[in-house]
Amino acid sequence: MKTKLSKLWNVYKKYGFWGFLKKLYAYVKANYLDRISFAVFFRQSHYTRVIDGILSGDYDRIILWRSSFGYNVPLFQRPQHIANNLAKNRCLVFYEVTTMTDKVKTVKKHGDNLYLINFNNILMNRILMRELQKRREPKYVQLYSTDWKLSVENIKNYMARGFGFIYEYIDDISPELAGTKELPQNIIDKYNFAMSDTRVYVVVTADLLWQDVVSHRGTEHLVYSSNGVDYSFFESFDEDYVFEKEFTDILTKKRPIVCYYGAMAKWFDYELLKEIAATGKYSVVLFGIKYDESFDENIKGEENIYFMGPRDYKVLKNYARCADVLMIPFLINNITRATSPVKIFEYMALKKPIVTTDMNECRKYSSVLIGKTHEEFLSQLERALRLSGDTEYAALLEREAKANDWREKAAAIIDMLREDEK
């Protein structure tokens, strides 16, 4: 209860009173009112046939994605990409939706072997679990380390029914990432369980997370699978896309555009951002969401900084391709040292010069220019401008992007599972 109150308070601070009421209603409806479905109650035989029809398909294993990240959200991130690519590699995936964004009350096909399902719907969930018990294919439940909804008891119940547990250890375990004042107990409990039970399949996205797992339980059932990119998605753009006046006004200033997209949060280096803007050389353009109150606390209408808000994943690339340099100006702390930024690989696919602060996972790539200090970051921005249009550098970006396609990241997870399935 304390965790939920903390989460609600953060929502209030982020969206204001009326936005809070709207979000609160959507949350109550999704998590309580929609749990009881008369449509399913009176048509149980129909939905049993639907599930049986899905389970009669051609696949090697079944995976339940149980972190309520949502599917149709502006931030199209690792969960959706991994689910898509698992489905393409002979996994039947049931992806948990949040009805606040996905509007799926029962189950809906999204693609071959990929189904969006409302696990909050008690009867729908019961029908699915009943029919899954009849299947002999390997079954798994998969979730994020930042998930604060499911308890260890929930996971153990799955395991008692014959499910394997895939724990995606994707970030430092911290309340800032959970969006709460204190770390939710469910997050702590699942982390401790995953670190102590070698039956759990652990997927890590960063070297520091790998080291943490090894220090607790060795390398059994452990695989490294950093974030990645859907390279083919960035090979084409919407040539007829119409930008709003706010963005075209920035383009007409004719200053080099330094762009970032993603969350604006406490791990963002706002002082560096202000130093870049203060040079007067660049238009600093930011796309994304205000994850917490830090943006408004630090940015007070400084010139040359333009916050554009979020853009849907499908169109964001049209804006990013207009940038001269793409950047990640994060503070260096426990969170960012253990972060594998999705955007770094998307920047590569966009074939734009990249400048980041000294993040562990960014150091691995030759295409990334690292600024260890504010002064060095500014120097690297100038170097990046000189690299714009350089054919050798563009080829390097392409090689590193293709080497980190999401297909390879999903394949690493499947290879780990397949070893036991033999």
Side-chain angles (χ1 to χ4, degrees), residues 351-371:
K351 297 186 179 66
K352 295 289 182 177
I354 305 166
V355 181
T356 78
T357 48
D358 193 21
M359 301 168 65
N360 291 9
E361 293 300 309
C362 293
R363 288 194 213 126
K364 297 178 178 180
Y365 306 103
S366 301
S367 62
V368 179
L369 310 183
I370 301 291

Side-chain angles (χ1 to χ4, degrees), residues 21-271:
L21 289 181
K22 185 177 179 180
K23 292 282 184 181
L24 179 61
Y25 169 75
Y27 176 82
V28 170
K29 184 177 184 300
N31 289 277
Y32 298 99
L33 301 181
D34 287 346
R35 288 176 66 82
I36 301 173
S37 172
F38 291 105
V40 178
F41 179 80
F42 289 111
R43 303 185 68 198
Q44 292 188 52
S45 58
H46 165 75
Y47 284 103
T48 298
R49 290 193 298 272
V50 168
I51 294 299
D52 284 345
I54 294 171
L55 295 176
S56 66
D58 184 25
Y59 53 87
D60 293 334
R61 64 193 60 80
I62 300 165
I63 296 178
L64 308 185
W65 171 261
R66 283 302 322 263
S67 285
S68 53
F69 184 85
Y71 194 91
N72 295 302
V73 293
L75 291 177
F76 202 83
Q77 293 278 300
R78 180 183 179 90
Q80 298 99 318
H81 285 297
I82 288 291
N84 287 340
N85 284 276
L86 289 174
K88 292 174 183 176
N89 284 276
R90 299 189 58 78
C91 298
L92 176 60
V93 181
F94 290 93
Y95 186 103
E96 179 169 10
V97 299
T98 165
T99 52
M100 293 172 66
T101 58
D102 294 299
K103 311 301 182 187
V104 176
K105 292 187 176 181
T106 54
V107 62
K108 179 181 179 182
K109 183 175 182 177
H110 184 76
D112 291 342
N113 280 344
L114 177 58
Y115 292 83
L116 307 183
I117 187 165
N118 183 356
F119 281 98
N120 272 335
N121 187 316
I122 296 172
L123 279 176
M124 193 72 239
N125 190 11
R126 189 175 296 166
I127 291 170
L128 174 65
M129 295 305 296
R130 184 182 66 215
E131 299 310 305
L132 284 176
Q133 289 300 111
K134 302 174 184 177
R135 307 300 302 187
R136 301 184 65 179
E137 293 86 357
K139 297 182 285 289
Y140 304 89
V141 58
Q142 181 175 5
L143 54 72
Y144 258 15
S145 54
T146 53
D147 172 73
W148 59 288
K149 184 178 179 181
L150 293 189
S151 68
V152 167
E153 289 307 310
N154 295 141
I155 299 304
K156 288 180 177 178
N157 286 339
Y158 273 112
M159 295 177 75
R161 294 184 177 191
F163 283 76
F165 175 33
I166 305 171
Y167 180 80
E168 288 228 357
Y169 189 12
I170 55 132
D171 274 312
D172 179 60
I173 303 295
S174 69
E176 287 88 350
L177 286 166
T180 54
K181 187 176 182 180
E182 297 178 4
L183 198 57
Q185 192 61 43
N186 276 344
I187 291 180
I188 298 171
D189 291 344
K190 289 197 292 289
Y191 168 80
N192 290 334
F193 178 59
M195 294 305 110
S196 61
D197 193 324
T198 55
R199 293 177 300 167
V200 178
Y201 299 93
V202 180
V203 180
V204 296
T205 57
D207 287 347
L208 284 181
L209 304 180
W210 173 281
Q211 294 165 20
D212 184 39
V213 177
V214 171
S215 70
H216 283 91
R217 43 169 280 178
T219 58
E220 186 176 357
H221 289 158
L222 173 63
V223 67
Y224 176 85
S225 171
S226 73
N227 286 322
V229 62
D230 179 359
Y231 184 82
S232 62
F233 177 74
F234 291 91
E235 289 186 295
S236 62
F237 300 89
D238 305 315
E239 299 300 341
D240 58 348
Y241 187 81
V242 178
F243 297 113
E244 59 277 80
K245 184 178 184 302
E246 183 182 5
F247 188 68
T248 57
D249 286 347
I250 297 170
L251 296 176
T252 58
K253 295 180 186 298
K254 301 297 183 182
R255 285 197 300 262
I257 293 176
V258 179
C259 179
Y260 164 87
Y261 62 76
M264 315 294 160
K266 292 176 181 177
W267 51 86
F268 205 92
D269 192 340
Y270 293 104
E271 292 306 312

Side-chain angles (χ1 to χ4, degrees), residues 390-408:
D390 184 284
T391 54
E392 289 187 13
Y393 181 65
L396 173 62
L397 289 164
E398 181 178 12
R399 286 197 303 274
E400 293 194 325
K402 287 182 174 178
N404 286 280
D405 194 278
W406 283 115
R407 289 174 297 182
E408 304 302 321

